[in-house]
Amino acid sequence: MFLESSVDRFAVGFAVLVAVAAFIFVHSSRYQHKQVFMFWQQVGLPMGTDQIQESLRVRLRRSHKASFYGGLTGGLVAAWQLVMTPNASLSFSFVMLTVFPAVLIGATLFDVAAMMKDAVAAPRRDVPRLARAQAVSVTDYISSWRFWSAPAITLLAVVLGVAGLVMGTVGVIDLGNLLQGAALPFLFIAVIVQVACWTALRKIMQKAQTVSSTLELAWDDAVRAHTVLKVGMLATVMAWLALSAMGLAVLEGMGVATPGSTALIIAQTTPMLGCSGIFMVFRYGSSFNYFRHHLWPEIGATKVVLGQGA
């Protein structure tokens, strides 16, 4: 059993500690107001009114709670698979190809579902609903190179997989490493996730924006862009992990990535480094305010104090 190892026990204990801390934070009023402040700084829109601020607090609270429960569900699914697998252990491959994707998929799925039910502002009956003058697309909320990175990496993984099958058929590499390992199943899962992400993005763009003012529409775009970025990040991470797993399988089939070899160390480190880079690209820099420069260039952040109406 995997808990027989002290490393496994420490890992499980640490995961439980993180889950408990996250549960406390997402239910903390102070943490929720801090998240509104951070989101306001990242987006760069004027807060406008107390109503918008409170609506954002509620929306971000639901988003973080949904992400927590979704990630917890994914983690429990991974734990169940680990328990049901004979002689299982918390290996690096299992963490990167099972635990991490399960948590990320669960968190994103629950968050998108919560977003589809929410709105930044409740429609007011005494004020006409504001209609957008021009239609928008996904690339109005996320840069084109971020949007197309997931399909491009997935295509590379598919090409590498086909090349590996061809090389295995002609005897260049050991085909058993490719067919019996996790690379092909994970590639299949990654492709399914790509399709699901494209479907989710289409649903997000079709969701009605029930707002009564230009500023409410801009903030609704901010929340929409935030969700689009999460979906794009999930698709890109899964594509990168599929490419990494396929590359490792090919190297093992060639006899290069042997236990203790430099090639194996590099191949096992690459997924983690790549995912860290993807998180940086989708969660920092110009990712949050891209939509503002694209859709609302005339609106800039104003020096307002949160908690006070404009």
Side-chain angles (χ1 to χ4, degrees):
M1 185 177 178
F2 71 96
L3 286 179
E4 293 178 358
S5 168
S6 58
V7 175
D8 291 344
R9 289 195 295 268
F10 172 80
V12 172
F14 180 76
V16 172
L17 180 63
V18 170
V20 172
F23 179 82
I24 295 174
F25 280 133
V26 298
H27 289 82
S28 167
S29 177
R30 181 178 180 181
Y31 175 80
Q32 293 166 14
H33 283 92
K34 183 178 179 181
Q35 292 303 305
V36 174
F37 179 75
M38 292 177 59
F39 189 59
W40 170 64
Q41 288 187 314
Q42 293 167 335
V43 170
L45 289 173
M47 186 57 66
T49 64
D50 289 335
Q51 179 184 359
I52 293 178
Q53 177 186 340
E54 179 60 20
S55 298
L56 280 173
R57 186 191 69 82
V58 173
R59 170 64 184 93
L60 293 177
R61 181 195 65 191
R62 291 176 180 173
S63 173
H64 285 95
K65 284 186 177 181
S67 296
F68 169 78
Y69 290 118
L72 181 62
T73 302
L76 291 176
V77 171
W80 175 80
Q81 181 178 347
L82 183 64
V83 171
M84 297 301 294
T85 302
N87 301 321
S89 63
L90 284 173
S91 63
F92 180 84
S93 298
F94 181 81
V95 171
M96 288 303 300
L97 297 181
T98 303
V99 179
F100 175 62
V103 171
L104 185 60
I105 291 173
T108 306
L109 179 63
F110 278 50
D111 190 21
V112 171
M115 182 270 180
M116 297 302 295
K117 296 180 179 180
D118 284 339
V120 167
R124 296 170 53 186
R125 296 182 179 181
D126 59 330
V127 178
R129 176 181 168 183
L130 182 67
R132 188 185 292 275
Q134 296 179 346
V136 293
S137 63
V138 175
T139 51
D140 288 314
Y141 298 94
I142 183 174
S143 60
S144 297
W145 67 272
R146 286 187 177 94
F147 176 74
W148 290 108
S149 59
I153 297 174
T154 303
L155 180 61
L156 288 176
V158 172
V159 171
L160 183 58
V162 172
L165 291 174
V166 172
M167 288 188 292
T169 302
V170 299
V172 176
I173 67 173
D174 183 3
L175 190 59
N177 285 322
L178 194 61
L179 296 178
Q180 299 174 7
L184 288 178
F186 195 88
L187 177 60
F188 176 76
I189 294 174
V191 172
I192 296 299
V193 170
Q194 304 301 312
V195 175
C197 287
W198 278 76
T199 303
L201 289 176
R202 186 179 62 182
K203 293 293 184 181
I204 291 172
M205 299 306 300
Q206 291 175 346
K207 183 177 183 292
Q209 295 179 283
T210 53
V211 297
S212 302
S213 69
T214 300
L215 189 56
E216 286 181 0
L217 181 59
W219 274 109
D220 197 76
D221 281 340
V223 174
R224 176 182 281 188
H226 192 204
T227 308
V228 168
L229 282 169
K230 290 180 180 180
V231 175
M233 184 176 70
L234 170 63
T236 306
V237 166
M238 293 298 294
W240 176 255
L241 291 178
L243 179 62
S244 301
M246 190 60 64
L248 177 59
V250 171
L251 290 176
E252 289 178 340
M254 296 173 62
V256 176
T258 56
S261 65
T262 303
L264 180 61
I265 296 175
I266 295 175
Q268 290 181 337
T269 307
T270 299
M272 181 174 59
L273 294 178
C275 288
S276 299
I278 293 170
F279 275 113
M280 294 292 291
V281 165
F282 278 86
R283 299 190 64 85
Y284 297 95
S286 62
S287 58
F288 281 105
N289 56 30
Y290 171 84
F291 84 96
R292 180 172 64 83
H293 294 296
H294 206 62
L295 294 176
W296 305 98
E298 72 282 2
I299 299 182
T302 58
K303 298 297 183 180
V304 297
V305 179
L306 295 185
Q308 298 180 357

